[in-house]
Amino acid sequence: MSCEKYLQDIYLYDELSPEKRQVIDKHVLTCMDCRTLLEEVQQQSAWVKHASLAPPEARHPQKLTDAILARIERPTRRAALVTTLLAPMDSLFVRYSLAAISVGLLVLFLSEQQSGPVVVKTMHRPAASATLNTNDFLQPYKLEKEQRPPAPPSWYQCLRDESCVGTFLETRKQRKLSSL
């Protein structure tokens, strides 16, 4: 009689249905090797059950508690460095100052976008004195600016004035159509 078909059932004996247990019990009565295997498996499962029910015991519970608390209470070097660097941010004065600087920079950025790029021109003729004649200096720039075609409005101007909403939508439609 071949025992191979019973091996898996022997390992799963506790989880089998009563009918399959009866088949295994009949086979175990006739086969000594399978009986030995079944006894070993049952003994091992009993040990596992006992080990899972027994609470773990610490050999030195006070030392274990002290070691855990020491690791929790002692900050690492990196955490100490971050805490030291961010400590000034706890002050409301510093927070409001940084917020005011941020708003100021935002206003400067937006005003620069409105005025256009700053162009520096040099004079074509040497200065006769140390006094700078601003009319002579700005004259070529003004002429060039008048001859230059107008720059397209920025996004901010379009949204503020609502002057180019139709143009913006048309260009967007054209882009979508060209991408298809």
Side-chain angles (χ1 to χ4, degrees), residues 119-131:
V119 178
V120 177
K121 292 286 186 172
T122 57
M123 292 179 58
H124 296 291
R125 57 189 168 97
S129 65
T131 306

Side-chain angles (χ1 to χ4, degrees), residues 16-108:
L16 293 176
S17 66
E19 296 85 28
K20 286 192 175 185
R21 280 187 186 179
Q22 287 178 355
V23 171
I24 297 292
D25 289 338
K26 287 180 184 176
H27 174 73
V28 167
L29 292 175
T30 59
C31 180
M32 185 58 104
D33 292 335
C34 290
R35 182 183 314 149
T36 307
L37 179 64
L38 180 64
E39 289 173 358
E40 288 176 3
V41 167
Q42 287 178 341
Q43 184 181 17
Q44 289 173 358
S45 68
W47 286 343
V48 170
K49 286 179 185 176
H50 175 71
S52 65
L53 296 177
E57 295 180 18
R59 291 186 180 150
H60 304 287
Q62 189 60 38
K63 286 183 179 179
L64 178 62
T65 305
D66 292 342
I68 291 172
L69 290 177
R71 292 288 283 179
I72 291 173
E73 293 172 359
R74 182 183 52 181
T76 61
R77 288 185 185 178
R78 183 175 182 180
L81 177 65
V82 169
T83 306
T84 305
L85 291 176
L86 295 179
M89 290 298 291
D90 288 339
S91 168
L92 283 178
F93 174 74
V94 172
R95 288 183 183 181
Y96 287 131
S97 300
L98 289 174
I101 290 170
S102 299
V103 168
L105 288 172
L106 184 64
V107 167
L108 285 174

Side-chain angles (χ1 to χ4, degrees), residues 141-162:
Y141 175 68
K142 287 179 183 178
L143 290 173
E144 183 183 323
K145 188 176 180 182
E146 290 171 2
Q147 295 171 358
R148 187 178 343 148
S154 67
W155 285 70
Y156 179 72
Q157 284 175 333
C158 286
L159 292 175
R160 186 185 65 187
D161 302 339
E162 296 180 4

